[in-house]
Amino acid sequence: MKTFREQIAADNTAAFINSLEFADKHNLNGTECSAILQDISVAEGLSTGTGSSQTYAGIYGSRLQVNCLAEALPELPVYGQLFGVNDKQYLVESCADDMGILTIQLVANDR
């Protein structure tokens, strides 16, 4: 019988980061691996210091969330690191390891 951790590791590949479902092959910072990309283009709001934000036309960026197996990357991304996804460069905003699956939040200035 598998331990809980062994079962989670098996499920990460078989169920979560699975090319038959949502994952595709991507180049993540020079490493070809299966990953799920969620791209959200945004008009960035700038904080006014009062807890609200104000949007300025012409200030655009994009956010990308990447989910992949932690074991697929040779090193874990860190805050502020330049990180390439396919042919586009981003900055790492955060990286969390949730039982072997990384959630990497990336940002890029598009203008």
Side-chain angles (χ1 to χ4, degrees), residues 74-93:
E75 62 185 18
L76 294 180
V78 295
Y79 174 79
Q81 173 185 345
L82 192 61
F83 192 89
V85 177
N86 299 326
D87 293 325
K88 187 171 180 177
Q89 295 295 311
Y90 294 86
L91 289 175
V92 176
E93 190 172 63

Side-chain angles (χ1 to χ4, degrees), residues 63-67 76-81 83 90-97 102-107:
R63 293 187 175 276
L64 183 68
Q65 179 174 299
V66 178
N67 295 101
L76 294 180
V78 295
Y79 174 79
Q81 173 185 345
F83 192 89
Y90 294 86
L91 289 175
V92 176
E93 190 172 63
S94 67
C95 178
D97 184 343
L102 295 180
T103 299
I104 308 166
Q105 300 287 339
L106 303 169
V107 294

Side-chain angles (χ1 to χ4, degrees), residues 4-19 23 34 36 67-71 97-102:
F4 179 72
R5 289 187 186 272
E6 290 170 336
Q7 187 60 52
I8 290 293
D11 287 347
N12 285 347
T13 304
F16 303 123
I17 308 297
N18 175 342
S19 62
S34 293
I36 300 168
N67 295 101
C68 67
L69 296 175
E71 64 189 29
D97 184 343
D98 188 21
M99 294 195 288
I101 294 181
L102 295 180

Side-chain angles (χ1 to χ4, degrees), residues 11-80:
D11 287 347
N12 285 347
T13 304
F16 303 123
I17 308 297
N18 175 342
S19 62
L20 297 175
E21 299 294 335
F22 298 111
D24 287 314
K25 290 287 184 187
H26 295 281
N27 183 323
L28 301 183
N29 218 30
T31 301
E32 291 285 329
C33 62
S34 293
I36 300 168
L37 305 183
Q38 297 176 59
D39 187 14
I40 304 166
S41 294
V42 295
E44 290 292 331
L46 299 179
S47 176
T48 61
T50 60
S52 64
S53 65
Q54 184 175 2
T55 302
Y56 293 92
I59 301 177
Y60 292 93
S62 60
R63 293 187 175 276
L64 183 68
Q65 179 174 299
V66 178
N67 295 101
C68 67
L69 296 175
E71 64 189 29
L73 297 181
E75 62 185 18
L76 294 180
V78 295
Y79 174 79

